[in-house]
Amino acid sequence: ISPFRIGGAVPTVFSYFSEVLAREKRGEHLSWLCMFWMIGGIYASAMAWAIIPHYGWSFSMGSAYQFHSWRVFVIVCALPCVSSVVALTFMPESPRFLLEVGKHDEAWMILKQIHDTNMRARGQPEKVFTVNRIKTPKQIDELIEIESDTGTWYRRCFVRIRTELYGIWLTFMRCFNYPVKDNTIKLTAVWFTLSFGYYGLSVWFPDVIKHLQSDEYASRVKHFRNEEVSHFVFNFTLENQIHSNGEYINDRFIMMKFKSVTFEDSLFKNCVFEDITSLNTYFRNCTFVNTTFYNTDLEQYKFVDSELINCTFFHIRTGCQISFDDDYSAYWIYFVNFLGTLAVLPGNIVSALLMDRIGRLTMLGGSMVLSGISCFFLWFGTSESMMIGMLCLYNGLTISAWNSLDVITVELYPTDRRATGFGFLNALCKAAAVLGNLIFGSLVGITKAIPILLASTVLVCGGLVGLRLPDTRTQVLM
């Protein structure tokens, strides 16, 4: 439900805001509006980094429900949505929309309110609102009034719903009619390529960091072979170890943690496992004889091809019991995400200040081409710090393309198709993001060359197509 509602809000916000902006400042102010998407991203990633790793922020409601820290994160993220609903109650309807549906008096009053507010801000409150001429838009989609029909209530509802859907379909198809048909096709290519490259790489980056950390972690693994341990008490942490062909007789494993530990072809006889927490720990092809497990999280899936003979389990804990302090890689992902989101701040400021100076097309094409070039240099990344630096550079360059594309899309469509066209392109953007995630995710474990070359090529090609769009810097909104 949440993405469905957000997907409908974004096109409406840009269409609504653009209608009350002066032409000479429209690009700049729409770019400032784009910045709040980034601010929301920083807020969400910062809250995730600050809240979710603190797994101890939890309490239980009975035995079936646990209120963990991620639920606190969800509540915190919902607060801006609540504030936006409150803010909407103080905002007027779009005058252009009111003119479209024939409500001229209401549109007149809102235009007068905008005029009076601007004049007071300029120190000219005495200036009277006057209009010499109003061009009334042609009303295209009027609802069929059928309340007076003699049909049943459900028949009237069916006709009204069918009429609304037909009107929506007609509005959508007009996005592919003259004079916006060519622009829609070009915008489709730019939106698709930018989203495919950006979201594909954004999701791919944490996996790259994780793979680099895993390779470094695996290089430090300790191997223990043919151990024979008896009557010993293990009460300390075992981490990043592999134990092969061992025999553990009458041993006790008490109040300890296993982190990335594997036991292979080992025998455990008359042993006790008590108060155990584990992460990435498995017993492969092991044999357990007369062994007791008490208050552990060693579930059945952690015993791979193992044989348990006369063993007992008491108070088995399900779910992950390791905190984020114990799993550094999981904590690191939130930090990398926060840095990547914060890196778009300079790009947002630059794009807002230069949008009306150098033009939308120059910024769109230049940003996408530079993003593709910076993406190519990821090929040479060999360390975590280098990859994070390239991520910040890539995000900072790409955000200018996003801002320019939002501004161009709003300015190329007339009022009766603006939100519909923007919504269609935004939906296509999400479809491209899903496709990018699937393709990049399937290739990241094989090689990083193909995802990098693919994203770089797609971004450069999309930027070249964007340069073929018409310049809308001096254009009056239709």
Side-chain angles (χ1 to χ4, degrees):
I1 295 176
S2 177
F4 177 81
R5 295 175 181 272
I6 293 174
V10 172
T12 310
V13 166
F14 281 94
S15 302
Y16 177 86
F17 190 48
S18 64
E19 295 175 2
V20 295
L21 295 175
R23 179 174 52 188
E24 61 273 8
K25 287 288 187 178
R26 190 167 58 219
E28 176 183 341
H29 286 253
L30 284 173
S31 298
W32 292 127
L33 177 63
C34 295
M35 181 177 290
F36 282 91
W37 182 275
M38 177 270 303
I39 293 175
I42 292 178
Y43 174 79
S45 58
M47 291 300 100
W49 182 30
I51 296 176
I52 295 179
H54 298 281
Y55 195 80
W57 294 6
S58 63
F59 63 88
S60 300
M61 298 175 61
S63 59
Y65 188 84
Q66 291 184 327
F67 195 93
H68 291 300
S69 57
W70 71 267
R71 300 185 190 273
V72 178
F73 169 69
V74 172
I75 293 176
V76 171
C77 284
L79 296 179
C81 299
V82 176
S83 63
S84 68
V85 173
V86 175
L88 283 173
T89 60
F90 297 96
M91 300 172 67
E93 182 55 87
S94 162
R96 289 174 176 265
F97 168 76
L98 294 175
L99 291 174
E100 288 279 354
V101 298
K103 298 181 180 180
H104 301 159
D105 293 339
E106 294 183 31
W108 182 280
M109 294 303 297
I110 293 175
L111 288 172
K112 183 178 184 303
Q113 177 186 351
I114 294 173
H115 171 272
D116 294 344
T117 302
N118 289 337
M119 290 304 104
R120 285 195 299 269
R122 292 182 178 182
Q124 302 174 357
E126 71 283 353
K127 193 168 184 178
V128 179
F129 173 64
T130 57
V131 175
N132 297 326
R133 179 173 61 94
I134 289 183
K135 182 179 179 181
T136 304
K138 180 181 178 182
Q139 297 179 32
I140 299 175
D141 297 308
E142 294 183 351
L143 287 176
I144 299 176
E145 295 295 336
I146 57 175
E147 281 79 8
S148 59
D149 290 354
T150 58
T152 58
W153 65 270
Y154 57 85
R155 175 63 182 174
R156 293 198 298 270
C157 291
F158 172 76
V159 173
R160 184 170 293 276
I161 293 174
R162 185 182 63 183
T163 304
E164 284 282 7
L165 293 178
Y166 181 67
I168 293 172
W169 174 252
L170 288 180
T171 303
F172 172 71
M173 292 307 297
R174 286 203 305 275
C175 294
F176 297 89
N177 294 342
Y178 180 83
V180 297
K181 177 181 178 181
D182 292 342
N183 294 335
T184 299
I185 295 175
K186 294 174 184 176
L187 284 172
T188 298
V190 179
W191 274 86
F192 186 90
T193 54
L194 182 56
S195 178
F196 181 87
Y198 177 77
Y199 286 108
L201 279 181
S202 297
V203 175
W204 179 66
F205 259 104
D207 285 338
V208 173
I209 300 298
K210 189 174 181 179
H211 276 281
L212 290 174
Q213 289 181 335
S214 298
D215 293 342
E216 181 185 358
Y217 192 74
S219 66
R220 295 186 278 108
V221 65
K222 297 179 180 179
H223 291 267
F224 299 88
R225 295 179 176 87
N226 303 318
E227 287 183 312
E228 294 184 5
V229 182
S230 61
H231 298 88
F232 186 80
V233 178
F234 293 86
N235 56 1
F236 45 86
T237 298
L238 297 182
E239 181 177 3
N240 199 16
Q241 299 177 2
I242 298 178
H243 298 259
S244 303
N245 300 307
E247 290 187 4
Y248 304 89
I249 311 298
N250 295 315
D251 293 325
R252 296 173 62 86
F253 301 82
I254 300 178
M255 299 184 65
M256 60 179 300
K257 296 178 180 179
F258 292 100
K259 295 195 294 185
S260 298
V261 178
T262 300
F263 291 90
E264 299 175 341
D265 304 310
S266 298
L267 170 66
F268 295 84
K269 186 175 182 181
N270 299 326
C271 294
V272 175
F273 291 82
E274 183 177 350
D275 295 325
I276 302 296
T277 57
S278 61
L279 175 69
N280 295 329
T281 295
Y282 300 95
F283 300 86
R284 303 182 187 277
N285 198 28
C286 295
T287 301
F288 295 83
V289 181
N290 297 328
T291 298
T292 301
F293 299 87
Y294 179 81
N295 195 30
T296 72
D297 63 354
L298 300 178
E299 301 180 60
Q300 292 296 325
Y301 74 90
K302 297 186 178 183
F303 300 91
V304 182
D305 297 327
S306 296
E307 184 179 7
L308 289 83
I309 302 173
N310 196 26
C311 297
T312 54
F313 291 82
F314 298 99
H315 302 290
I316 299 300
R317 292 174 291 173
T318 59
C320 179
Q321 306 297 324
I322 296 290
S323 68
F324 279 80
D325 293 332
D326 297 311
D327 188 8
Y328 178 72
S329 62
Y331 182 86
W332 184 253
I333 287 177
Y334 290 101
F335 176 67
V336 171
N337 189 45
F338 174 74
L339 287 181
T341 307
L342 188 63
V344 305
L345 178 60
N348 258 308
I349 296 175
V350 170
S351 64
L353 296 177
L354 299 181
M355 186 69 69
D356 291 309
R357 295 177 181 270
I358 67 175
R360 290 88 160 113
L361 298 184
T362 303
M363 184 166 292
L364 173 63
S367 178
M368 290 188 69
V369 171
L370 289 176
S371 298
I373 295 174
S374 68
C375 174
F376 175 77
F377 283 101
L378 289 172
W379 198 341
F380 305 99
T382 56
S383 64
E384 294 178 22
S385 58
M386 184 181 297
M387 295 298 290
I388 293 173
M390 295 303 299
L391 167 65
C392 295
L393 176 62
Y394 174 76
N395 285 354
L397 291 172
T398 309
I399 195 62
S400 297
W402 279 115
N403 293 355
S404 306
L405 189 57
D406 290 335
V407 174
I408 292 174
T409 303
V410 166
E411 294 177 335
L412 281 179
Y413 284 104
T415 299
D416 60 346
R417 281 166 276 186
R418 184 170 297 120
T420 302
F422 201 112
F424 162 70
L425 294 170
N426 201 38
L428 181 70
C429 160
K430 304 310 176 189
V434 173
L435 182 63
N437 292 343
L438 293 176
I439 294 177
F440 284 61
S442 62
L443 296 175
V444 65
I446 303 174
T447 175
K448 67 178 182 180
I450 296 179
I452 289 174
L453 291 176
L454 181 61
S456 180
T457 303
V458 164
L459 288 170
V460 171
C461 292
L464 297 177
V465 173
L467 291 174
R468 304 293 298 174
L469 289 167
D471 190 4
T472 58
R473 186 169 17 170
T474 59
Q475 181 173 304
V476 177
L477 291 183
M478 293 180 285

